[in-house]
Amino acid sequence: MPRRPSDAPDEVQDDDRSSSAPSDEETREVGMTVQPRTSREVVELDRRKSEHTLIAEVRRHSRTPSFETSAAQESLDQIASQTDLKTSDAKMEELANTRRRRVRLRSPWSSSLLTLLVTTLAAVTLFSCLFSFVSRQMDVPGCRMSYMRPAFARLNEFDTEHTRFASKYSLYLYREGGVDEDTRVKGVPVLFIPGNAGSYKQVRPIAAEAANYFHDVVQHDSAAMDAGASSVDFFTADFNEDITAFHGQTLLDQAEYLNEAISYILSLYHDPSRSMRASGLPDPSSVILVGHSMGGIVARTMLTMPNYQSNSINTIITMSAPHARPPVAFDGDIVRAYQRINDYWRKAYAQKWANNNPLWHVTLISVVGGGLDTMIPSDYASISSLVPDTHGFTVFTSSVPHVWTGMDHQAILWCDQFRKVLIRALMEVLNSKRPGQTKPRADRMRVFKQWFLTGMESTTEKKLPQQKPTTLLTLEDGHNSVMPQGERFVMRTLGNTNRAKAYLLPIPPHATPGRKRFTLLTDQQLNSPEGSKNLQVLLCSVFPLEMGQSATLFTLNMDLSGDGSGSTRLACKNAEADVISLPASTKTSRYPFEEVAPFSYLEYDVDVISEHQLVAVVDKAITPTNGWVMAEFSDRAASEVRANVGMLRLLTMGVTLQLPAQRGLTTRIKIPTIQSALLAYRIHVGKQRCNDGDPLFAPLLRQYLNNPYESKFFVNVGVADLNLHGIAPFMPSPLRQQSSEGLSLEIWSDPTCGMPIDITLEADVFGSLGKLVVRYRTVFAAFPLLVVALVLCKQFSIYDTAGTFISFAEALDLCLRQSIPLVFIALSIFAFSLARSSSSQDHRSSSSSGWSHWGRNSTESAVDYTKNDLLLGSPDPFFWFLVPLFGLVSVGICVVMNYTLMTLTHILSMIYDLVTFRPAWISNEDRRRPAPPMTFAASSPGRRILTASVLLFLVSTIIPYQFAFLVACVVQMTTCTRALKLVRETRSNTTFNFYNYAHSLLVLMIWFIG
């Protein structure tokens, strides 16, 4: 076997000799007859081979810079110079120990005490966040399952003549089996848009409810049909479960396709062979859109596309759609698409005149499931930065009457309670007698607020003042009770007098000191003018009517005078239209969404009803019936409590209040400090005791925000978890600045008990940790990337100065001692400064008077929608500590990822060794033949340029860049595996450097995937 040239570098000779090249003694024996050796000769030969290996290592490291001290290097040089082929066993042992120490120092598995301590703290913090996320402050799901008999008709005529996406996407028409199976169109067109990786079949629960509700109820209501009520034709798009959340071009493609689909859908109503609409109805000119998740963003995108047909969309209802910002902002196309879409909507509503606003006729309703939706942060569903409250609003399902429960990302599609409310609201906004197929925008907004909001919001419009008196109430003098002014009315059982009876409550004069309000609560359903229920509430005025005129002026004559000669006549309005449904709260209640009859609640400011003189509570039961009623006029200021406490005191001491024994039916508690969505709380309500008997109902608690509309109800409340979607990180500023009153609590309790109720509110620190997971999940990917970048900088810095590429673990340990703490301290100061600047801007905007805006161009935007995009994204300086907290967790994540990838690499290397293993039965000639050196040959510059050009062309035309990057990660993993095998066989600095470099690069690439 030929030997290497004598002028070859010593390091190469030593490496080959220590791995696969034969010794001098063995080289001389090649081609000769092998003589048997004694055991002494074998031992001597092994000793000489070890000496040569040690000498080679010493020579190599005498020339290669390392992290050992100069004293240790001089010791090695001295030992090497004094060592020859007859070195004593003691010196050889010393060399061997030195070598083992050096190898141990550069082992990538080594970890310092500081790294272990930081990793332990990070693991505890991360585990606490995850455990809190899955177990604390969790809303109870209360959706009931829905059922349907679906049938889909594919519209094959919508082909490439209509759209260039016909080969990729499809359009279907839904029909409910056994109810509506004719595939001809006949109702109002509604288009359902599925979300990210969603299916067109997700329309089934909503479309089935629409078909059944029209078939069972609406078509039998002659008044509704005369007003323009109609059936609904539900169309749905099949996007083959395309990914829209991570790819901006896919979002635009779907929007373009759906605009062309709308044109085709509207053309179906012009074709007599495809349409069954009544001849007197106009052909539809617009389509209602219902979008789920990213489908809601596609719906808004459609109005910004060049192929959008003007006025073809006037109503958009979205469910769990991230309007404010993309759920994952790693794709540049999706970020730019969001920015372009949102800027279009904002500029449209910034126009002064309606003629200049292309979206003036559009109504946008965003419904979101709340805390149970962990797919996207529910804060992102807010449209306050896009649409004024005259054209849309955001509401949580826990606020929707008769739903009263949160729901996850998919449940919002099939939740039986919610789909019923959604379809009833949708049916009520229809007007098939108009070309747009819907009522005017203001009427649509009024209908949506009636169905989706609680009715207790500050923007709620009462219907009573717009009504005319419809009921003539005739009372017998002396046989109907008139309550003294200011006295509370309580009725514990209905029908005690065996006849219908009216109880009259005088309305305080308008000039009465204090702001008065009327409240009524009952467990009965209030009767409509044509209804037959046992309880009716009327607001009446004395009406000096002549005999015989009632039939011409009133639709209902309620005569409770009996046979008496003397009587009083009152002209009354029915308050049933303004009734507010509340979840029933009894001593056996557990959840607000239980299938029991709700409470009925009325609330009027005296200013609203001041034109009337009396409130009449009419008990129409003629036999004793279980039921209770409680009504009163109270001072609004006396029933409101404002807790002005600072954040630090709130977190450390909490808030303690006591409802007095002499209190009103309802008490409101306002805590302006509680605004952040990152903090959770726990409230304790003392047990309600009565001096005599049981209370009429158990305490009922409502927590609410006015922007967005979020209410949660707690029945039979004792201990309750409070979490909210208030000021959240990374959220753009609202379109118009609004003053925030923070969290408000409203408590209904039985005031007849005469006993105080203690209330304690405290911060749930552990429960707040879970709120960081869903809102800062992108930060948990970005901050580790920063740590990895710092580690790589340290590795390259040391390689440039010492010539050794140290391991990832060693570089991380060095960074933990200097660069990482300095970087995160600087970021903490920066985050605090950003939050202070943002909060001061908000304060100036909210406190500025109307004179400061006088003369400003209506199209100018004074709001900075991007000020919360940096770092923590929070306008509250209080949360500066999150930066070092995330830094701690990021370091721990990097350590775990480093050792995880190392373990995986070693496993793959072992598998690679097994695959390339050379069996023992290979001939001695082959075993003695030197194996080719395991090195990574560098390609030429021309080849690199050609390879890069081909890859760029494929990524830009055919292959998604995400897939290409994933392939690159797999290739890098293979490189690490081969490098590790090379390290095991050569034990040289060069191979160690390459392995550490390849491994660190793999860690960086993995975080880019994350």
Side-chain angles (χ1 to χ4, degrees), residues 695-744:
L696 292 176
F697 60 97
L700 172 64
L701 172 66
R702 172 196 174 218
Q703 72 156 83
Y704 64 95
L705 294 172
N706 283 329
N707 185 31
Y709 294 117
E710 180 185 23
S711 293
K712 292 183 181 179
F713 292 91
F714 303 91
V715 297
N716 192 18
V717 61
V719 179
D721 292 332
L722 305 182
N723 53 79
L724 60 150
H725 294 81
I727 299 177
F730 306 113
M731 289 295 294
S733 302
L735 198 64
R736 293 179 174 86
Q737 293 294 335
Q738 301 175 357
S739 60
S740 176
E741 298 182 353
L743 179 69
S744 298

Side-chain angles (χ1 to χ4, degrees), residues 167-172 192-204 236-247 250-251 254 257 292 294-295 298 410:
S167 59
K168 185 179 180 181
Y169 303 141
S170 304
L171 188 65
Y172 289 85
F192 174 79
I193 309 173
N196 180 62
S199 170
Y200 70 97
K201 296 180 180 179
Q202 291 176 322
V203 73
R204 293 174 297 183
T236 178
D238 180 13
F239 293 134
N240 292 319
E241 301 183 2
D242 250 353
I243 305 296
T244 52
F246 309 105
H247 196 231
T250 301
L251 179 73
Q254 292 183 2
Y257 171 81
H292 173 245
M294 290 300 295
V298 175
Q410 299 297 330

Side-chain angles (χ1 to χ4, degrees), residues 211-230:
N212 288 314
Y213 181 66
F214 179 80
H215 180 268
D216 298 337
V217 179
V218 176
Q219 69 174 350
H220 304 295
D221 187 346
S222 58
M225 295 299 292
D226 293 339
S230 172

Side-chain angles (χ1 to χ4, degrees), residues 188-192 232-236 269 287-290 426:
V188 175
V190 178
L191 177 60
F192 174 79
V232 174
D233 293 324
F234 259 100
F235 298 86
T236 178
Y269 293 86
V287 176
I288 298 174
L289 301 184
V290 177
L426 193 61

